[in-house]
Amino acid sequence: MKRLLLLDADVVIDLHTLGVFERISKGFEIYITKTVLHEVQYYKSSGKKIRINICDRVTVIENVSLEYLQVVQREAKEARLGIDPGELESIACLMQEGEGLIFCTCDKAAIKLLAFMNLERSSISLEKALRATGYQKKNLYPRHWDKTFIEGIRDGKALRVLFKRLTET
């Protein structure tokens, strides 16, 4: 059984730019939120804009609970992090769907927020996800590296210690 991977818009675009979307979709069952689907319109290759059409290759999560969206917004505000709509909806979806879904993002604020909310165990760097499919090339951008992801997680944990209310457990 394939693992379930929830992708952020930047990851979808970068996978297309690098020409490895097919590889990741063979190694994982790919999920995206409705907002992310609307954000991933094009990628650039050789100076040309190329349309992204992945509707038939991913599962689109249509309904994310308003309650979870509000929780993520509140947590982002508490952590003093600016989160884009796609990441916000994806993190809310991660909370809603629970076990089994793994969120893959390369957005620094989203990575920090995952750790701030104690959701880092349900997340993965793009490098690590690609390595799980046998991909070994060194053409990834620094934002994809596992090292960068781990630094973001560490920063998010520091924010949790700094900003979480003392009354919370």
Side-chain angles (χ1 to χ4, degrees):
M1 186 169 130
K2 288 184 181 180
R3 291 172 64 192
L4 312 179
L5 193 64
L6 178 66
L7 299 181
D8 177 24
D10 289 337
V11 171
V12 173
I13 292 166
D14 289 350
L15 287 168
H16 280 82
T17 302
L18 295 168
V20 292
F21 185 83
E22 289 300 321
R23 175 179 281 279
I24 202 95
S25 63
K26 287 178 182 173
F28 294 91
E29 189 173 329
I30 304 298
Y31 286 76
I32 61 174
T33 64
K34 189 175 178 180
T35 301
V36 169
L37 179 63
H38 293 299
E39 290 177 346
V40 295
Q41 299 297 312
Y42 299 96
Y43 70 98
K44 290 185 180 178
S45 178
S46 303
K48 296 179 187 174
K49 281 174 85 173
I50 300 172
R51 186 142 179 76
I52 295 175
N53 184 7
I54 57 172
C55 290
D56 59 336
R57 298 182 288 171
V58 301
T59 301
V60 179
I61 299 169
E62 297 278 341
N63 299 312
V64 178
S65 164
L66 180 60
E67 178 185 337
Y68 288 119
L69 290 167
Q70 290 171 336
V71 167
V72 176
Q73 283 179 321
R74 192 170 46 250
E75 293 282 328
K77 184 177 179 181
E78 188 177 337
R80 297 178 174 100
L81 295 168
I83 299 294
D84 294 328
E87 285 96 11
L88 186 140
E89 189 177 37
S90 294
I91 294 171
C93 178
L94 187 65
M95 294 173 65
Q96 176 178 296
E97 299 299 319
E99 293 293 316
L101 198 59
I102 302 166
F103 182 41
C104 183
T105 184
C106 56
D107 182 87
K108 279 189 174 189
I111 295 166
K112 289 177 186 178
L113 185 58
L114 286 164
F116 184 82
M117 295 177 66
N118 209 21
L119 295 170
E120 65 271 18
R121 288 188 184 98
S122 298
S123 61
I124 191 171
S125 69
L126 181 55
E127 178 183 28
K128 198 169 191 177
L130 280 169
R131 296 282 182 252
T133 69
Y135 188 78
Q136 298 299 322
K137 291 187 180 175
K138 304 278 186 198
N139 64 336
L140 300 177
Y141 307 131
R143 67 178 175 264
H144 301 150
W145 296 345
D146 198 49
K147 175 185 172 186
T148 305
F149 189 85
I150 291 167
E151 289 170 3
I153 293 294
R154 186 190 65 231
D155 293 346
K157 287 179 179 181
L159 290 173
R160 185 170 57 210
V161 169
L162 187 61
F163 295 128
K164 277 288 183 187
R165 294 183 186 105
L166 295 175
T167 57
E168 294 181 7
T169 55

